[in-house]
Structures are given as C-alpha cells and as structure tokens.
Amino acid sequence: MNEPALPLHADIGIGGIHVRLRTDDPGFIDLLGERYAGFLDGAGRVDYEFDMHLQPPEGTDPDDDVRVFRRDGLWCMERGDFRAEWDPQSRRGWIRQEPNPYSVDSVLRIVHSLLLAREGGMLMHASSAVRDGRAFVFMGVSGAGKTTISRLAPAGVHLLTDEMSYLRREADGYFAYGTPFSGELGRPGANLRAPLACIYLLAQGPENRIEALGHADAVRGLLANILFFAQDRELVQAIFASAIELAERVPVRRLTFVPDSRVWDLIGNEST
C-alpha cells in the first residue's frame, strides 16, 4: 500500500528538468525557497519527484566519498550526510538526509548528471556566462581562475555559474544553462539558456592569449572536468563518447590570462 504523499513541496527547475521535493517540514520548504530562488517553478510541471525524510545529524561527515550505483533497477546514492534511492522508470525516489540544503544540492547534482549522461550532455566543473546571446564555458583545475574570470566579467555579461556548468545536447546544437550551484561567489547563476559558442581551458600567465587545442587535448581537458559519480560502465562509456562529440562540434581553446578585466576583450571575439 502506497504511503500518503508528503503535504509540502518545492518544484526546482534546472536545465529544463523539473524536480519536485516533498517534505512535511515548513521550515525546510522555506530554506529550499531561499536556496533555489530563481529556479523555483510555479507552473506545476513535474518530471521527477522525491520524498524527503529529514533526520538529525548523526556525527556523519559530508566530506565522505559519495557512492552512486545501480541495484535492482534503482539508482542508489550514499554519502555520510544522506542516502537516496531513485527509480528512473517511475521517476520517483526518496532522500534521507540531515536538514540542510547542501545534502539535497548533492542529490540534485547526481540525478542531473545521470540524466544528462543518457542524452549526450554533462555537468562540468567550470564557470560559464552569456555574452551577446552566446554562452562561454571556463574550465580548469582548482585555482585556474574560474571564479576570477567570473568576477572580472563586464556589465552585460550574465553569469550562469561560477562552479558547475550545465550543458545539454539538443536538436540544434549544444546549450548551456544557468544553475543554482554556486562556488566562491556564493550566489546562484542566472536562470538562462544560450547556445554554447566556445569552451576555454584556463591557465594564468604573464599575458592574455588564446590558442587552439588539438582534438585529443580538447577531449582530455573535457574529461578531466566532467563531473560524474556513478559506478556504471555503460554511462562512463557514454560520457567518454559525449566528450569526443562535444570537442568535434564546439571549439575548445586554451585561454591564458592575466587576472584583470582586459581578458574579456578576447573572449568571444577571436575568429571561429
């Protein structure tokens, strides 16, 4: 017999995918409203649904390694501060977690990474922004300058994220979407969608310059920055194929820059 639906919910739309989070805790609904402001969807569309069961902290460590695996047709997700199961067929699942927004943030990232892997898209450890109607992605290791280049963006540039870029392959090309997943800037991105024009592999240096990358180097750069958590050979192979296709269809370049605003004179202005 099915349990009655939890009475309260927040609908969160990221990348055109709408997830309903149900709970019986009004305080947590308020917290979700603050955390995902700009990404709450009042239209009522629901693609996936999770029942959230909140529990007090048990001395667990949210820095524990995350585990994502399939069991009996279900996706299982575990870390020190949460456990979750999700049935991709029924599009329903549950989350048991401490009453903080960081745990549900992690579950949402995992779920979106699984969904994107199936369709040739990806979550990427990268900042991204929209300029003149086109999206630009800035990827690199920690300290390469993702947050810095976001902070230096001139007026008229809309930040999609300084932490986690959301890329979808659609019928007419690749598109980047804004996300609420923030990094050092501490603010969510704009809830926008724009065609992906270029991906830059960042490095800081003595001058501003852009260099073309060979296909193999471009693929290696992409794979080093794609976020994927699942222990699943089929989806790992799909991610590898997606990186190859993305590098074939979208320019990937190395951007060396001095950390001042003049770098934006180059971005989007080089010949394609």
Side-chain angles (χ1 to χ4, degrees), residues 103-125:
S103 301
V104 70
D105 237 30
S106 297
V107 173
L108 287 175
R109 295 180 194 201
I110 293 167
V111 169
H112 280 276
S113 73
L114 296 172
L115 294 170
L116 288 170
R118 291 287 187 191
E119 60 176 42
M122 61 200 67
L123 286 179
M124 185 174 292
H125 187 54

Side-chain angles (χ1 to χ4, degrees), residues 138-149 201-205 255 257:
F138 308 94
M139 63 182 182
V141 298
S142 206
K146 297 181 293 294
T147 299
T148 299
I149 208 159
L201 180 61
L202 294 180
Q204 296 193 35
L255 171 58
F257 75 105

Side-chain angles (χ1 to χ4, degrees), residues 21 25 32 40 58 77 83 93 99 109 111 113-114 120 133 139 151 156 160 186 188 211 231-232 249 258 268-269:
L21 301 176
D25 187 325
L32 291 176
L40 295 178
E58 298 178 346
M77 298 160 266
R83 290 182 58 229
R109 295 180 194 201
V111 169
S113 73
L114 296 172
M139 63 182 182
R151 191 178 285 122
L160 296 176
E211 307 164 271
Q231 302 167 17
D232 186 272
R249 297 179 59 183
V258 179
N269 292 323

Side-chain angles (χ1 to χ4, degrees), residues 16 41 76 82 122 146 148 154 160 183 206 213 228 246 256 259 262:
D41 181 13
C76 303
F82 69 81
M122 61 200 67
K146 297 181 293 294
T148 299
L160 296 176
L213 285 177
F228 191 70
L246 179 59
T256 303
R262 290 173 296 177

Side-chain angles (χ1 to χ4, degrees), residues 80-102:
D81 55 329
F82 69 81
R83 290 182 58 229
E85 278 191 2
W86 173 50
D87 182 349
Q89 297 301 316
S90 69
R91 300 185 169 221
R92 290 184 58 89
W94 54 261
I95 306 167
R96 291 189 177 92
Q97 65 157 78
E98 298 174 8
N100 68 67
Y102 309 109

